[in-house]
């Protein structure tokens, strides 16, 4: 009997990428970007391979303007994204609009836009290591909601596990600079991207 290997591969890929982006289902949004202008990080340019678990690997190509046409989204069809952001201290961040975040995780239309301010963004913390690997973290919604409840962060609960961090751009920058640990658990396993070798092929 010949198993439906293509269907199984797609299903496994969806599961792996779902695990990779699971943090967005219990997510943290920011009321507005912490900076006046989002910029392209030139260090992002090139081909990156993401390890999505179960031995699966997918490659995304980012151009010099930080645009990608083949982000490994949740559906079989790659996703086009503009991966711009900003720097606070030694940390770098990608800023995704709710619509971009929906595309990245394959969420239903409106899943990440309902109840959010029009300028809201989702911020992904990332760091580039000397070994050429990129590590990225999503905010921890439980950490954020607990900090809001204690009065250590300005914000409010939007849904059961959905936090909105509020403030002016200056206040949000100060939060990231001084209280990042209330939002991001960098001791937790990160999403890992590696520079793709020219001959490397995507997993089937």
């Amino acid at each position: 009997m010949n198993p439906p290997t293509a269907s199984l591969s797609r299903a496994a890929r969806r599961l792996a990428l779902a695990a990779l982006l699971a943090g967005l289902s219990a997510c943290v949004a920011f009321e507005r970007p912490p900076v006046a202008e989002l910029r392209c990080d030139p260090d992002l340019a090139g081909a990156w391979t993401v390890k999505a678990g179960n031995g699966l690997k997918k490659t995304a190509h980012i151009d010099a303007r930080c645009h990608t046409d083949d982000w490994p989204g949740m559906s079989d069809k790659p996703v086009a994204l503009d991966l711009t952001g900003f720097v606070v201290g030694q940390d770098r961040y990608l800023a995704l609009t709710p619509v971009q975040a929906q595309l990245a995780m394959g969420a239903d239309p409106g899943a990440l836009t309902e109840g959010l301010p029009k300028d809201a963004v989702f911020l992904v913390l990332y760091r580039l290591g000397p070994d050429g690997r990129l590590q990225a973290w999503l905010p921890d919604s439980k950490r954020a909601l607990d900090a809001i409840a204690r009065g250590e962060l300005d914000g409010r609960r939007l849904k059961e596990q959905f936090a909105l961090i509020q403030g002016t751009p200056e206040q949000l920058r100060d939060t990231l600079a001084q209280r990042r640990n209330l939002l991001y658990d960098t001791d937790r396993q990160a999403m890992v991207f590696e520079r793709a070798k020219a001959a490397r092929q995507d997993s089937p």
Side-chain angles (χ1 to χ4, degrees):
M1 183 175 72
N2 294 322
T5 54
S7 296
L8 288 174
S9 177
R10 286 194 295 269
R13 184 176 296 121
R14 288 193 187 99
L15 288 173
L17 289 170
L20 183 71
L21 296 167
L24 283 176
S25 63
C27 52
V28 178
F30 293 75
E31 186 176 16
R32 54 177 55 86
V35 295
E37 182 181 358
L38 299 176
R39 298 182 181 276
C40 174
D41 180 352
D43 289 335
L44 291 180
W48 294 91
T49 294
V50 55
K51 295 181 178 180
N54 295 333
L56 294 173
K57 297 179 181 180
K58 292 294 292 181
T59 299
H61 300 82
I62 303 174
D63 68 20
R65 297 172 300 162
C66 289
H67 178 80
T68 176
D69 286 315
D70 58 1
W71 183 260
M74 288 288 292
S75 66
D76 293 330
K77 184 178 180 181
V79 174
L81 293 174
D82 290 310
L83 301 174
T84 54
F86 58 93
V87 177
V88 174
Q90 299 300 309
D91 291 324
R92 312 186 201 197
Y93 294 86
L94 294 177
L96 300 176
T97 67
V99 171
Q100 288 176 318
Q102 286 175 170
L103 287 172
M105 69 175 294
D108 294 332
L112 299 181
T113 58
E114 183 179 353
L116 285 179
K118 65 179 180 66
D119 294 326
V121 291
F122 294 92
L123 302 182
V124 181
L125 167 65
Y126 70 98
R127 294 170 179 167
L128 290 164
D131 58 359
R133 297 197 313 167
L134 183 153
Q135 292 183 290
W137 295 267
L138 295 164
D140 185 313
S141 62
K142 185 179 186 306
R143 281 189 175 218
L145 289 169
D146 288 348
I148 291 171
R150 294 192 303 265
E152 295 177 317
L153 284 178
D154 291 330
R156 59 189 173 92
R157 183 190 298 267
L158 288 180
K159 299 177 183 178
E160 184 178 352
Q161 290 296 324
F162 198 145
L164 176 67
I165 307 303
Q166 297 173 295
T168 65
E170 293 79 8
Q171 290 169 332
L172 293 175
R173 284 199 303 275
D174 287 344
T175 294
L176 294 173
Q178 301 170 20
R179 298 186 229 175
R180 172 181 46 75
N181 64 312
L182 298 178
L183 292 162
Y184 296 88
D185 182 2
T186 54
D187 292 328
R188 184 182 62 188
Q189 184 176 0
M191 295 178 283
V192 177
F193 297 77
E194 295 181 346
R195 290 285 184 186
K197 296 179 181 178
R200 177 175 291 170
Q201 297 295 320
D202 288 353
S203 297

